[in-house]
Amino acid sequence: MSDLLYSEEEEALRAALRDLLADHCDAAGVIVRTESEAPHDRELWKALSDGMGLAGLLVPEAQGGQGATHREVAVVLEELGRAVAPVPYLTSAVVATEALLGCGGEEAAKLLSALASGRTVGVLTVALSVAPGGAHKAVRYEDGGLHGELTGIADASAADVLLVPATDGDLYAVDADAVTVTPQVSLDLTRPLATVAFDGAPARRLGAAEPAVRRGLRAGAGLLASEQLGLADWSLTETVRYLKDRKQFNRPVGGFQALKHRLAQLWLEVVHTRAAARNAADALATGGEDADVAVALAAAYAAPVAVHAAEEAVQLHGGIGMTWEHPAHLYLKRAKADSIAYGTAGAHREALAGLVDLQAP
């Protein structure tokens, strides 16, 4: 049985990353960025990938990566979730990278090195709402090019290269400047969605699409739980801090019994989410046979907790929690968007029931 507690190295990584995010990713800056034409923070992405080498954590050292595991990636995602950082880390450094690791071959190896450096951002063109093993749209491959349109693609506007499943069963690499990316209206402006149109875009074959897509989405679903943990943890911590300071009837609001009960309940939920998220990250790292169970369990549990924590943050901050200037809305929107990313909690519960042979009544 693996030790799910954070190692010294993981805690050191967390501390370094939290310091970096405190300097580069303040809430006011993120809100301003969501109102601009360029929601992604390129400078922060450069600091994460060039400065700290975090884009290549899952890539073996022989291919220019750090050769780390999903446990370290989970710590990174917790901290990025706490800051609602507008960077394509989950989509490029986790999902696209895992899909490439499932391909093999020279073209995939070359792309892996590029993604590991962080100088190239990769995005798997499967809608953000698709669960591991779920049905997804593909485009047509003909005469060396791809034809068709895909919607709901997260972070496509930040991508340099797209990994595209085609109807012939293969996965292809396409340069982003060869396609038309049209932004869609997104609830979470820090992880924008887009439609990608292919009109004969030149494509390079990477390998079989099905196992690569499944691998990418499974890692995405399992590690998203760590991002949701970060969101929930920030929401709880900030709400407790606010309620200690805020006074009503000449005493701190946090002293009222009803609010104490709500926060105690939320604390329990966050602790349980940490256990589930750590278990999923560890199962993905060790590649154990129960990894699918661990991922489905974490994904089913973490999503509603993150939403509940963000809702409580908005409500318990009172009037200020409803304002655009206060960051609580960033967390609520990200938590809501995450709750349908890589499969809903309901879809994962259904998958979990099948995996442990628990039949519906």
Side-chain angles (χ1 to χ4, degrees):
M1 179 67 190
S2 299
D3 184 354
L4 298 184
L5 297 174
Y6 299 102
S7 67
E8 278 182 35
E9 291 83 0
E10 286 163 357
E11 289 292 10
L13 172 61
R14 179 195 305 287
L17 188 50
R18 194 170 292 189
D19 285 348
L20 176 77
L21 291 167
D23 292 340
H24 289 271
C25 192
D26 62 299
V30 175
I31 291 170
V32 168
R33 205 170 274 288
T34 62
E35 298 173 291
S36 72
E37 292 295 303
H40 292 101
D41 190 337
R42 297 284 182 173
E43 285 305 304
L44 176 59
W45 177 250
K46 198 173 185 321
L48 293 171
S49 52
D50 264 8
M52 296 184 74
L54 299 181
L57 284 182
L58 291 176
V59 179
E61 288 182 52
Q63 287 168 295
Q66 306 297 322
T69 73
H70 301 78
R71 288 176 62 119
E72 288 81 8
V73 173
V75 172
V76 173
L77 282 167
E78 275 181 48
E79 292 307 310
L80 294 179
R82 280 183 70 92
V84 199
V87 289
Y89 191 84
L90 183 67
T91 41
S92 183
V94 177
V95 177
T97 296
E98 281 277 346
L100 286 170
L101 286 166
C103 284
E106 214 171 293
E107 188 64 45
K110 208 161 67 182
L111 263 180
L112 264 179
S113 300
L115 261 60
S117 73
R119 284 187 278 280
T120 299
V121 171
V123 166
L124 180 67
T125 60
V126 172
L128 184 62
S129 57
V130 175
H136 57 85
K137 278 183 71 178
V139 292
R140 198 173 82 256
Y141 179 74
E142 204 175 282
D143 301 329
L146 294 175
H147 304 263
E149 188 176 87
L150 299 167
T151 57
I153 311 302
D155 291 336
S157 57
D160 302 297
V161 65
L162 301 165
L163 312 181
V164 191
T167 49
D168 63 0
D170 285 335
L171 189 69
Y172 292 91
V174 175
D175 293 330
D177 54 15
V179 302
T180 307
V181 176
T182 310
Q184 290 177 253
V185 177
S186 310
L187 173 65
D188 173 17
L189 299 172
T190 60
R191 183 175 284 147
L193 304 179
T195 297
V196 183
F198 301 85
D199 188 13
R204 311 182 293 283
R205 186 183 178 278
L206 294 168
E210 203 271 330
V213 169
R214 177 184 282 272
R215 179 171 175 165
L217 296 184
R218 183 176 81 153
L223 291 169
L224 180 67
S226 291
E227 180 183 292
Q228 290 164 326
L229 168 61
L231 293 168
D233 196 44
W234 180 93
S235 301
L236 174 63
T237 305
E238 283 303 303
T239 305
V240 169
R241 193 168 65 81
Y242 177 77
L243 293 180
K244 280 180 177 174
D245 293 341
R246 176 90 166 85
K247 288 193 167 56
Q248 212 170 31
F249 309 117
N250 215 21
R251 58 181 279 200
V253 177
F256 294 111
Q257 193 73 21
L259 298 192
K260 282 182 178 177
H261 283 177
R262 282 169 72 169
L263 292 170
Q265 175 60 38
L266 193 54
W267 181 82
L268 273 177
E269 289 177 16
V270 171
V271 169
H272 293 158
T273 302
R274 179 170 281 111
R278 291 296 291 164
N279 185 46
D282 187 71
L284 286 167
T286 53
E289 57 199 42
D290 60 347
D292 285 342
V293 170
V295 166
L297 181 66
Y301 191 83
V305 171
V307 172
H308 180 215
E311 286 174 346
E312 290 288 70
V314 170
Q315 287 183 17
L316 296 179
H317 273 81
I320 195 173
M322 300 290 179
T323 64
W324 181 258
E325 290 74 22
H326 194 279
H329 67 93
L330 293 175
Y331 291 82
L332 181 56
K333 289 167 186 167
R334 173 65 73 88
K336 282 294 222 184
D338 278 359
S339 71
I340 56 167
Y342 307 118
T344 61
H348 286 290
R349 277 196 294 274
E350 208 172 303
L352 184 61
L355 288 165
V356 299
D357 201 23
L358 191 65
Q359 300 307 316

